[in-house]
């Protein structure tokens, strides 16, 4: 079955960096666009970034553009999110998720990981 | 950015009753609207996409409809496992945006 397992979260000071990973299994990883979505108690669900199956397209939310970088290693079935210049408002649970349509992007996410908590605090 | 507004914030319903949740888009999203269910400590689960298409495994008591930029999610007869938070999401244009959620609680 499809499994997505995030890791890399933790407590970090403002201005520092963190790298999240998402290990995928149970499907052909290099056929699907992948997303990062975050959730905070105050702002609910917020889409963060998307990367197409072949890395040809990457989009970011304005709130993270220029600070976060999404990437993938199809040989390792792993999705990444590099978080730089972290701010307190980046505190959230970060989920990786899979597009429901093969080879497409911009569609709903039909499988989600369990999330990893990032806390930005001094 | 398209703003998705859900109402009510909280809906108190008795088991076996019908629940109707609303989601309004600030501009046209066509039929590119999805509904998710989230239970405490869990990730969101996709229930419906393209306004009214249920995913595999989504119970038949769940349905969706659209009138212009107003979308409705209906649970025909609430079961105990349906008490959760429900989110709508538009995927018509970037950035993809979610509504603030409706919590369906036991009355």
């Amino acid at each position: 079955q499809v499994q997505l397992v995030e890791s890399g979260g933790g407590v970090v000071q403002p201005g520092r960096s963190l790298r999240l990973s998402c290990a995928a299994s149970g499907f052909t990883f290099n056929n699907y666009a992948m997303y990062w979505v975050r959730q905070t108690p105050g702002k609910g669900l917020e889409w963060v970034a998307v990367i197409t199956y072949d890395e040809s397209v990457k989009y970011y939310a304005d709130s993270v553009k220029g600070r976060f970088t999404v990437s993938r290693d199809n040989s390792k079935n792993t999705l990444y999110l590099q978080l730089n210049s972290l701010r307190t408002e980046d505190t959230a649970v970060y989920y990786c998720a899979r597009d429901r349509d093969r080879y497409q992007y911009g569609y709903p996410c039909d499988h989600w990981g369990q999330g990893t908590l990032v806390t930005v605090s001094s | 950015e398209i703003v998705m507004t859900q109402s009510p914030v909280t809906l108190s319903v008795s088991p076996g009753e019908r629940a109707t949740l609303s989601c309004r888009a600030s501009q046209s999203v066509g039929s590119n609207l999805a509904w998710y269910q989230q239970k405490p400590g869990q990730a969101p689960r996709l229930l419906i996409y393209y306004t009214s298409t249920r995913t595999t495994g989504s119970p038949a008591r769940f349905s969706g409809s659209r009138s212009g930029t107003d979308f409705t999610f209906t649970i025909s007869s609430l079961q105990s496992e349906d008490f959760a938070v429900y989110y709508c999401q538009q995927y018509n244009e970037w950035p993809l945006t979610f509504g603030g959620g409706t919590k369906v609680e036991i009355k």
Side-chain angles (χ1 to χ4, degrees):
Chain A
Q1 73 282 18
V2 173
Q3 268 202 309
L4 299 169
V5 180
E6 301 95 336
S7 61
V11 180
V12 62
Q13 293 179 326
R16 302 299 290 266
S17 298
L18 210 57
R19 188 202 202 196
L20 306 183
S21 300
C22 171
S25 60
F27 66 103
T28 306
F29 182 70
N30 62 12
N31 286 180
Y32 290 87
M34 298 294 296
Y35 299 76
W36 287 99
V37 178
R38 66 186 180 184
Q39 185 169 32
T40 63
K43 291 191 69 177
L45 289 165
E46 180 186 17
W47 165 77
V48 172
V50 62
I51 182 169
T52 52
Y53 70 99
D54 60 356
E55 300 188 78
S56 61
V57 175
K58 300 177 185 180
Y59 288 153
Y60 299 91
D62 284 347
S63 58
V64 307
K65 200 174 297 181
R67 300 187 300 122
F68 291 8
T69 302
V70 63
S71 63
R72 64 192 295 162
D73 186 336
N74 286 341
S75 68
K76 295 182 178 179
N77 290 350
T78 304
L79 173 73
Y80 302 100
L81 186 67
Q82 179 68 39
L83 294 69
N84 294 335
S85 303
L86 280 161
R87 305 168 180 168
T88 54
E89 55 264 37
D90 295 319
T91 295
V93 174
Y94 285 75
Y95 294 101
C96 69
R98 189 190 84 167
D99 195 293
R100 68 168 298 277
D101 280 352
R102 191 174 296 194
Y103 299 122
Q104 305 297 317
Y105 67 100
Y107 292 92
C109 296
D110 64 348
H111 290 279
W112 297 60
Q114 84 289 350
T116 187
L117 176 62
V118 173
T119 303
V120 184
S121 174
S122 54
Chain B
E1 168 175 320
I2 297 176
V3 176
M4 308 301 294
T5 303
Q6 289 188 244
S7 62
V9 173
T10 304
L11 185 62
S12 298
V13 186
S14 300
E17 289 188 342
R18 183 184 191 89
T20 302
L21 288 62
S22 297
C23 175
R24 173 171 289 177
S26 61
Q27 63 191 73
S28 176
V29 300
S31 293
N32 297 313
L33 191 285
W35 290 94
Y36 296 84
Q37 176 193 69
Q38 188 178 32
K39 296 180 179 179
Q42 297 184 16
R45 171 194 171 199
L46 179 64
L47 298 176
I48 284 178
Y49 60 97
Y50 205 60
T51 295
S52 59
T53 303
R54 281 183 293 109
T55 58
T56 304
S58 178
R61 62 182 180 274
F62 295 157
S63 64
S65 63
R66 169 197 173 193
S67 175
T69 57
D70 290 333
F71 296 83
T72 301
F73 176 79
T74 302
I75 308 173
S76 60
S77 176
L78 267 156
Q79 306 299 303
S80 57
E81 61 267 30
D82 300 334
F83 292 97
V85 180
Y86 293 83
Y87 295 95
C88 61
Q89 178 208 19
Q90 68 81 20
Y91 54 98
N92 194 60
E93 64 178 55
W94 300 96
L96 309 183
T97 49
F98 293 86
T102 291
K103 181 180 181 180
V104 177
E105 64 176 26
I106 301 174
K107 187 175 183 180

